Amino acid sequence: MAAAEGSKLWGGRFSGSTDPIMEMLNASISYDQRLAEVDIQGSMAYAKALEESGILSNAELEKILGGLEKISEEWSKGVFAVIQTDEDIHTANERRLKELIGDVAGKLHTGRSRNDQVVTDLKLFMKNSLSIISTHLLRLTETLVERAAIEIDVILPGYTHLQKAQPIRWSQFLLSHAVALTRDSERLGEVKRRINVLPLGSGALAGNALGIDRQLLCSELDFASISLNSMDAVSERDFVVEFLSAATLLMIHLSKMAEDLIIYSTSEFGFLTLSDAYSTGSSLMPQKKNPDSLELIRSKAGRVFGRLAAILMVLKGLPSTYNKDLQEDKEAVFDVVDTLNAVLQVATGVISTLKINKESMERALSPEMLATDLALYLVRKGMPFRQAHVASGKAVQLAETKGITINKLSLEELQNISPLFGSDVAQVFSVLSSVEQYTAAGGTAKSSVSAQIEQLRELLKRLKEQA
């Protein structure tokens, strides 16, 4: 039997019953009960504003606040009883408030719409959630930076197109991911600033006709400012799109890092070993140690992007002000918040516990990776780079033809390519000398990497203060 319309917040105009399947499609209480606490916070603030404007007496205010505190306690203890007619968290809390304090509960919604109520709740939830996510993200970034500082003398092949390219410091690799994550931290901070605009007091769309002090609401709920236009305030979900977009880019960065580490952990590379705490085995093959933690991080990028794509399509065709389509925003936000919190903590665990294999990294450093250094040697002798590039390429080809590594070519063979080659060319074929020549800011020389570490430490301090 479908619920009678009279039990609903909007039931007075209806005489029939809602179709049971429509009831299920329309209801959001199964997931928006996560907004229970922020919904109560918003109601407490609104009750105070109603008392200031003369709608509630002081006694009525105290009664409402006491009832809301009791409801908050029931939610925190897990004893709040949701019933079938609770369409959403707002209906559930108001229904319970009436059970506790009687008809005076009906005054709480005076001048307020679920349109401005739900967007306020969601913003309060997201403000809290983004602070937690930011903390996890900064912890991961700090873990990368501090590991880079400890292992600064480790050198391994750098890759482009998944082909060996040039020697780099392991720290340069770690910091490349840390730098990307600092941009994600900055983006989350920008999203949080735009979330921090109060919509409550906008009513259904036209505003509030009862002289509600929105600055009081702003102060009570710790928002930075109030919305400028009531029609925009109840319908805009830019902040949801921005959060999901920032989250998608963050997940793409984490996916790239995960992919790198998966490759480096294979037996073919053998550069690192994941902790057992972040690996799983095979139900058939006893020898397997699978990097499932990293594979799951990689997969979650698709999940988060899917949420962004979905909400963009929801918003695309909407007319102005509130439409029920906007109910889709909450599940997207909840899912992505949960995903980020889990993924960031697992990623931090992976980075802090993996073991590197310096010997495997060193064995993978082949002389051909110093072909650019050979070209730069000629540049320093006065040859234009394009000519030097050709000469170095000829040396590589000659070595391949002879079946030897480039550093085994004789001085005579090199001088047949260019008379600028001298006996000092042997100094080129040093991996340490190679990385140490990249002293420009941002490079892989030890001095440059050390500077990056210090700059990132300072940036992390500032980001922590803003989180």
Side-chain angles (χ1 to χ4, degrees):
M1 178 72 180
E5 303 311 328
S7 64
K8 300 182 182 298
L9 297 183
W10 44 266
R13 178 249 187 269
F14 292 81
S15 57
S17 297
T18 310
D19 178 86
I21 304 301
M22 174 58 188
E23 285 275 350
M24 291 193 304
L25 183 64
N26 188 51
S28 57
I29 187 64
S30 62
Y31 52 87
D32 70 10
Q33 60 185 268
R34 288 186 66 168
L35 299 174
E37 189 55 42
V38 292
D39 188 66
I40 291 167
Q41 291 173 18
S43 290
M44 285 181 164
Y46 194 71
K48 292 175 183 178
L50 287 174
E51 190 263 348
E52 187 192 58
S53 66
I55 302 299
L56 293 177
S57 67
N58 183 260
E60 289 172 327
L61 171 63
E62 294 303 316
K63 204 170 184 180
I64 288 173
L65 293 179
L68 290 171
E69 287 172 2
K70 172 66 175 173
I71 295 168
S72 176
E73 184 180 337
E74 290 178 356
W75 279 112
S76 65
K77 290 182 177 178
V79 298
F80 186 99
V82 174
I83 63 176
Q84 186 180 357
T85 54
D86 290 339
E87 180 181 324
D88 52 39
I89 187 58
H90 324 298
T91 310
N93 281 343
E94 187 169 330
R95 182 263 308 163
R96 181 58 179 148
L97 184 63
K98 184 177 181 180
E99 291 174 354
L100 290 171
I101 67 171
D103 288 341
V104 69
K107 287 191 171 186
L108 177 59
H109 206 60
T110 306
R112 182 172 66 165
S113 166
R114 284 186 297 176
N115 297 358
D116 63 343
Q117 185 177 3
V118 68
V119 69
T120 302
D121 288 0
L122 187 58
K123 284 190 169 189
L124 287 169
F125 173 85
M126 289 179 66
K127 282 172 63 177
N128 296 335
S129 298
L130 261 66
S131 293
I132 295 169
I133 290 168
S134 294
T135 298
H136 290 318
L137 177 54
L138 290 170
R139 188 169 296 128
L140 169 59
T141 310
E142 187 174 36
T143 302
L144 286 163
V145 171
E146 295 310 316
R147 180 144 203 168
I150 293 168
E151 295 170 334
I152 195 169
D153 293 320
V154 179
I155 299 173
L156 79 163
Y159 295 82
T160 63
H161 308 278
L162 271 181
Q163 306 293 315
K164 289 181 182 178
Q166 292 177 298
I168 59 167
R169 292 184 183 276
W170 164 246
S171 297
Q172 183 81 345
F173 165 80
L174 293 173
L175 295 177
S176 71
H177 292 293
V179 169
L181 296 179
T182 61
R183 294 195 297 271
D184 294 314
S185 289
E186 290 169 345
R187 271 186 286 270
L188 287 176
E190 290 162 7
V191 173
K192 191 173 178 181
R193 282 192 289 276
R194 276 190 284 279
I195 288 173
N196 208 15
V197 178
L198 175 77
L200 190 59
S202 298
L205 79 159
N208 188 287
L210 301 171
I212 289 293
D213 184 350
R214 297 190 69 204
Q215 289 296 345
L216 171 64
L217 292 172
C218 189
S219 175
E220 286 287 328
L221 295 173
D222 195 27
F223 279 88
S225 61
I226 62 174
S227 57
L228 188 62
N229 179 280
S230 60
M231 290 178 67
D232 175 68
V234 298
S235 62
E236 74 94 1
R237 294 298 186 273
D238 295 9
F239 66 97
V240 172
V241 172
E242 285 190 274
F243 167 62
L244 297 180
S245 179
T248 297
L249 197 47
L250 167 56
M251 286 303 306
I252 288 171
H253 292 151
L254 293 177
S255 178
K256 179 168 70 171
M257 182 177 74
E259 174 67 5
D260 285 341
L261 296 176
I262 288 168
I263 292 170
Y264 290 172
S265 71
T266 61
S267 56
E268 287 77 11
F269 279 73
F271 292 172
L272 56 90
T273 303
L274 298 185
S275 165
D276 286 356
Y278 297 99
S279 307
T280 65
S282 166
S283 61
L284 177 63
M285 299 167 283
Q287 82 281 9
K288 292 294 294 297
K289 181 176 179 179
N290 299 324
D292 283 15
S293 55
L294 296 170
E295 292 171 356
L296 288 167
I297 290 171
R298 187 175 59 187
S299 72
K300 297 297 183 185
R303 181 188 185 106
V304 172
F305 172 71
R307 290 296 193 179
L308 170 61
I311 199 67
L312 284 170
M313 292 311 297
V314 167
L315 295 174
K316 171 199 167 292
L318 296 187
S320 291
T321 74
Y322 186 83
N323 297 269
K324 197 57 175 274
D325 313 54
L326 294 175
Q327 188 161 287
E328 293 296 312
D329 61 1
K330 288 172 283 300
E331 284 185 289
V333 168
F334 297 155
D335 183 37
V336 172
V337 164
D338 292 343
T339 298
L340 290 184
N341 279 326
V343 159
L344 288 168
Q345 291 179 81
V346 168
T348 302
V350 169
I351 295 298
S352 62
T353 59
L354 65 81
K355 289 184 170 59
I356 61 170
N357 188 336
K358 289 176 61 177
E359 293 74 21
S360 293
M361 291 177 175
E362 289 169 0
R363 281 196 300 271
L365 292 163
S366 56
E368 285 69 27
M369 297 179 66
L370 301 173
T372 303
D373 302 70
L374 193 64
L376 293 176
Y377 167 89
L378 293 173
V379 168
R380 294 184 179 107
K381 297 279 187 175
M383 182 182 288
F385 177 73
R386 286 302 170 203
Q387 294 178 28
H389 188 284
V390 171
S392 181
K394 287 181 178 179
V396 172
Q397 185 181 45
L398 178 60
E400 288 178 350
T401 302
K402 295 173 68 68
I404 60 176
T405 56
I406 192 171
N407 62 323
K408 299 299 183 183
L409 291 173
S410 68
L411 178 58
E412 181 182 358
E413 288 170 323
L414 288 172
Q415 287 178 333
N416 285 336
I417 296 171
S418 170
L420 291 178
F421 283 117
S423 58
D424 58 345
V425 72
Q427 299 172 12
V428 168
F429 300 108
S430 163
V431 169
L432 183 58
S433 296
S434 177
V435 296
E436 279 304 288
Q437 69 185 320
Y438 295 102
T439 56
T444 196
K446 189 170 184 176
S447 59
S448 300
V449 172
S450 296
Q452 291 176 54
I453 289 168
E454 290 309 310
Q455 286 177 299
L456 283 166
R457 283 171 172 164
E458 288 301 313
L459 177 57
L460 286 170
K461 283 181 186 177
R462 294 197 298 273
L463 291 171
K464 284 179 182 178
E465 291 169 0
Q466 296 165 12

